[in-house]
PDB file of all heavy atoms in Angstrom:
ATOM      1  N   ALA A  43     -11.508 -22.939  12.761  1.00  0.00           N
ATOM      2  CA  ALA A  43     -12.501 -23.586  11.903  1.00  0.00           C
ATOM      3  C   ALA A  43     -13.208 -22.545  11.038  1.00  0.00           C
ATOM      4  O   ALA A  43     -13.501 -22.793   9.855  1.00  0.00           O
ATOM      5  CB  ALA A  43     -13.516 -24.351  12.759  1.00  0.00           C
ATOM      6  N   ILE A  80      -2.131 -17.278  -0.525  1.00  0.00           N
ATOM      7  CA  ILE A  80      -3.300 -17.380  -1.403  1.00  0.00           C
ATOM      8  C   ILE A  80      -4.419 -16.424  -0.996  1.00  0.00           C
ATOM      9  O   ILE A  80      -5.434 -16.321  -1.690  1.00  0.00           O
ATOM     10  CB  ILE A  80      -3.847 -18.814  -1.443  1.00  0.00           C
ATOM     11  CG1 ILE A  80      -4.338 -19.248  -0.050  1.00  0.00           C
ATOM     12  CG2 ILE A  80      -2.805 -19.777  -1.974  1.00  0.00           C
ATOM     13  CD1 ILE A  80      -5.123 -20.545  -0.077  1.00  0.00           C
ATOM     14  N   GLY A  92     -29.840  -7.622  17.751  1.00  0.00           N
ATOM     15  CA  GLY A  92     -29.940  -8.129  19.120  1.00  0.00           C
ATOM     16  C   GLY A  92     -28.669  -8.010  19.923  1.00  0.00           C
ATOM     17  O   GLY A  92     -28.673  -8.253  21.129  1.00  0.00           O
ATOM     18  N   VAL A 106     -11.060 -10.795  -4.245  1.00  0.00           N
ATOM     19  CA  VAL A 106     -12.409 -11.364  -4.345  1.00  0.00           C
ATOM     20  C   VAL A 106     -12.739 -12.118  -3.062  1.00  0.00           C
ATOM     21  O   VAL A 106     -11.880 -12.809  -2.496  1.00  0.00           O
ATOM     22  CB  VAL A 106     -12.515 -12.312  -5.561  1.00  0.00           C
ATOM     23  CG1 VAL A 106     -13.911 -12.922  -5.648  1.00  0.00           C
ATOM     24  CG2 VAL A 106     -12.170 -11.562  -6.845  1.00  0.00           C
ATOM     25  N   ILE A 107     -13.984 -12.009  -2.605  1.00  0.00           N
ATOM     26  CA  ILE A 107     -14.418 -12.700  -1.390  1.00  0.00           C
ATOM     27  C   ILE A 107     -14.485 -14.203  -1.649  1.00  0.00           C
ATOM     28  O   ILE A 107     -15.084 -14.645  -2.630  1.00  0.00           O
ATOM     29  CB  ILE A 107     -15.784 -12.184  -0.925  1.00  0.00           C
ATOM     30  CG1 ILE A 107     -15.712 -10.691  -0.583  1.00  0.00           C
ATOM     31  CG2 ILE A 107     -16.284 -12.961   0.295  1.00  0.00           C
ATOM     32  CD1 ILE A 107     -17.068 -10.052  -0.307  1.00  0.00           C
ATOM     33  N   PHE A 132     -27.804 -17.455   3.328  1.00  0.00           N
ATOM     34  CA  PHE A 132     -27.379 -16.057   3.310  1.00  0.00           C
ATOM     35  C   PHE A 132     -25.873 -15.948   3.076  1.00  0.00           C
ATOM     36  O   PHE A 132     -25.425 -15.209   2.199  1.00  0.00           O
ATOM     37  CB  PHE A 132     -27.758 -15.378   4.628  1.00  0.00           C
ATOM     38  CG  PHE A 132     -27.307 -13.944   4.725  1.00  0.00           C
ATOM     39  CD1 PHE A 132     -27.903 -12.948   3.970  1.00  0.00           C
ATOM     40  CD2 PHE A 132     -26.262 -13.583   5.580  1.00  0.00           C
ATOM     41  CE1 PHE A 132     -27.477 -11.625   4.055  1.00  0.00           C
ATOM     42  CE2 PHE A 132     -25.835 -12.268   5.680  1.00  0.00           C
ATOM     43  CZ  PHE A 132     -26.447 -11.291   4.913  1.00  0.00           C
ATOM     44  N   VAL A 163     -23.100  -7.163   6.226  1.00  0.00           N
ATOM     45  CA  VAL A 163     -22.520  -6.549   5.020  1.00  0.00           C
ATOM     46  C   VAL A 163     -21.491  -5.496   5.392  1.00  0.00           C
ATOM     47  O   VAL A 163     -20.401  -5.422   4.806  1.00  0.00           O
ATOM     48  CB  VAL A 163     -23.638  -5.946   4.140  1.00  0.00           C
ATOM     49  CG1 VAL A 163     -23.039  -5.023   3.077  1.00  0.00           C
ATOM     50  CG2 VAL A 163     -24.448  -7.041   3.480  1.00  0.00           C
ATOM     51  N   ALA A 170     -12.887  -6.396   3.967  1.00  0.00           N
ATOM     52  CA  ALA A 170     -12.414  -6.354   2.586  1.00  0.00           C
ATOM     53  C   ALA A 170     -11.598  -5.100   2.320  1.00  0.00           C
ATOM     54  O   ALA A 170     -10.559  -5.150   1.652  1.00  0.00           O
ATOM     55  CB  ALA A 170     -13.606  -6.431   1.627  1.00  0.00           C
ATOM     56  N   ARG A 194     -19.894  22.966  -3.058  1.00  0.00           N
ATOM     57  CA  ARG A 194     -20.864  23.447  -2.072  1.00  0.00           C
ATOM     58  C   ARG A 194     -21.187  22.326  -1.091  1.00  0.00           C
ATOM     59  O   ARG A 194     -21.223  21.150  -1.464  1.00  0.00           O
ATOM     60  CB  ARG A 194     -22.156  23.891  -2.755  1.00  0.00           C
ATOM     61  CG  ARG A 194     -21.993  25.017  -3.787  1.00  0.00           C
ATOM     62  CD  ARG A 194     -23.287  25.265  -4.523  1.00  0.00           C
ATOM     63  NE  ARG A 194     -23.164  26.291  -5.541  1.00  0.00           N
ATOM     64  CZ  ARG A 194     -24.119  26.592  -6.425  1.00  0.00           C
ATOM     65  NH1 ARG A 194     -25.272  25.933  -6.404  1.00  0.00           N
ATOM     66  NH2 ARG A 194     -23.918  27.537  -7.320  1.00  0.00           N
ATOM     67  N   ILE A 266     -35.034   7.082   4.768  1.00  0.00           N
ATOM     68  CA  ILE A 266     -34.876   8.389   5.424  1.00  0.00           C
ATOM     69  C   ILE A 266     -33.502   8.974   5.109  1.00  0.00           C
ATOM     70  O   ILE A 266     -33.381  10.156   4.770  1.00  0.00           O
ATOM     71  CB  ILE A 266     -35.073   8.255   6.946  1.00  0.00           C
ATOM     72  CG1 ILE A 266     -36.518   7.845   7.254  1.00  0.00           C
ATOM     73  CG2 ILE A 266     -34.723   9.567   7.653  1.00  0.00           C
ATOM     74  CD1 ILE A 266     -36.787   7.606   8.720  1.00  0.00           C
ATOM     75  N   GLY A 298       4.765  24.824 -34.771  1.00  0.00           N
ATOM     76  CA  GLY A 298       4.110  26.125 -34.696  1.00  0.00           C
ATOM     77  C   GLY A 298       3.573  26.358 -33.310  1.00  0.00           C
ATOM     78  O   GLY A 298       3.933  25.654 -32.357  1.00  0.00           O
ATOM     79  N   SER A 357       5.315  10.551 -25.946  1.00  0.00           N
ATOM     80  CA  SER A 357       6.479   9.871 -26.497  1.00  0.00           C
ATOM     81  C   SER A 357       6.740  10.367 -27.909  1.00  0.00           C
ATOM     82  O   SER A 357       5.851  10.363 -28.760  1.00  0.00           O
ATOM     83  CB  SER A 357       6.228   8.359 -26.505  1.00  0.00           C
ATOM     84  OG  SER A 357       7.323   7.678 -27.067  1.00  0.00           O
ATOM     85  N   PRO A 406      35.120  28.176 -33.690  1.00  0.00           N
ATOM     86  CA  PRO A 406      34.533  28.542 -34.988  1.00  0.00           C
ATOM     87  C   PRO A 406      33.715  27.409 -35.611  1.00  0.00           C
ATOM     88  O   PRO A 406      32.902  27.646 -36.505  1.00  0.00           O
ATOM     89  CB  PRO A 406      35.767  28.881 -35.839  1.00  0.00           C
ATOM     90  CG  PRO A 406      36.892  28.145 -35.191  1.00  0.00           C
ATOM     91  CD  PRO A 406      36.591  28.150 -33.737  1.00  0.00           C
ATOM     92  N   ALA A 413      16.222  29.317 -28.462  1.00  0.00           N
ATOM     93  CA  ALA A 413      14.824  29.019 -28.129  1.00  0.00           C
ATOM     94  C   ALA A 413      14.397  30.002 -27.049  1.00  0.00           C
ATOM     95  O   ALA A 413      15.225  30.533 -26.301  1.00  0.00           O
ATOM     96  CB  ALA A 413      14.672  27.583 -27.646  1.00  0.00           C
ATOM     97  N   GLY A 418      13.710  35.711 -22.153  1.00  0.00           N
ATOM     98  CA  GLY A 418      14.269  36.060 -23.450  1.00  0.00           C
ATOM     99  C   GLY A 418      14.848  34.835 -24.123  1.00  0.00           C
ATOM    100  O   GLY A 418      14.618  33.694 -23.696  1.00  0.00           O
ATOM    101  N   ALA A 440      21.657  35.172 -20.727  1.00  0.00           N
ATOM    102  CA  ALA A 440      21.884  36.418 -19.999  1.00  0.00           C
ATOM    103  C   ALA A 440      20.604  37.070 -19.502  1.00  0.00           C
ATOM    104  O   ALA A 440      20.613  37.784 -18.495  1.00  0.00           O
ATOM    105  CB  ALA A 440      22.657  37.395 -20.887  1.00  0.00           C
ATOM    106  N   ILE A 475      16.741  22.545 -14.223  1.00  0.00           N
ATOM    107  CA  ILE A 475      17.191  23.404 -13.127  1.00  0.00           C
ATOM    108  C   ILE A 475      16.000  23.669 -12.217  1.00  0.00           C
ATOM    109  O   ILE A 475      14.937  24.081 -12.690  1.00  0.00           O
ATOM    110  CB  ILE A 475      17.755  24.732 -13.666  1.00  0.00           C
ATOM    111  CG1 ILE A 475      18.961  24.463 -14.579  1.00  0.00           C
ATOM    112  CG2 ILE A 475      18.134  25.670 -12.534  1.00  0.00           C
ATOM    113  CD1 ILE A 475      19.399  25.670 -15.374  1.00  0.00           C
ATOM    114  N   ALA A 494      17.330  17.733 -35.221  1.00  0.00           N
ATOM    115  CA  ALA A 494      16.022  17.203 -35.599  1.00  0.00           C
ATOM    116  C   ALA A 494      15.990  16.746 -37.040  1.00  0.00           C
ATOM    117  O   ALA A 494      16.528  17.396 -37.930  1.00  0.00           O
ATOM    118  CB  ALA A 494      14.931  18.247 -35.378  1.00  0.00           C
TER     119      ALA A 494
END
Side-chain angles (χ1 to χ4, degrees):
I80 63 169
V106 179
I107 298 172
F132 178 71
V163 166
R194 301 173 182 172
I266 295 176
S357 178
I475 299 168

